[in-house]
Amino acid sequence: MPPRTWIEHATRFETDRANRGRAHNIRLAATRLDGASLAPGEVLSFNDRIGPRTREAGFVGATEFRDGDPQHGVGGGGCQVARRCGTASMSSASAGCSARCPAAPPL
């Protein structure tokens, strides 16, 4: 029997020229996360699954936010995927899942 999808979450983002790098990074991170499957009690590390946000890993320059301030850096947009992952996992409490997202503000 194929695995069941218990949790899905979507996010919107701009894909215009000014946001092209961010859109690329969001798609890349989401692609690396897609299809993750966890057994009961198993832990998913977003950082281990996505890997380093570097040019060598395929990420590009884009706006990042540090302490609420926009800055240019490599991998901007990855946190948006991490946030949606955290939101989806928090909504999965009824499925017996839990999440810890120390880098993100409270949901």
Side-chain angles (χ1 to χ4, degrees):
M1 182 156 82
R4 289 176 49 182
T5 299
W6 287 92
I7 306 163
E8 288 183 325
H9 205 281
T11 189
R12 292 178 185 243
F13 54 93
E14 298 295 325
T15 58
D16 61 355
R17 183 182 171 115
N19 292 290
R20 190 173 295 154
R22 185 174 178 81
H24 168 84
N25 294 335
I26 289 171
R27 286 188 186 105
L28 181 58
T31 298
R32 292 181 180 174
L33 187 64
D34 189 39
S37 179
L38 301 175
E42 192 174 0
V43 174
L44 170 77
S45 167
F46 181 85
N47 286 331
D48 287 350
R49 180 88 182 200
I50 302 308
R53 267 70 93 200
T54 63
R55 291 189 188 283
E56 294 78 22
F59 290 90
V60 299
T63 301
E64 300 178 323
F65 291 90
R66 293 197 181 119
D67 298 321
D69 296 321
Q71 299 179 8
H72 190 78
V74 175
C79 287
Q80 187 168 346
V81 179
R83 178 69 177 211
R84 295 296 73 83
C85 181
T87 301
S89 64
M90 292 299 196
S91 67
S92 68
S94 63
C97 300
S98 63
R100 185 175 63 87
C101 303
L107 300 173

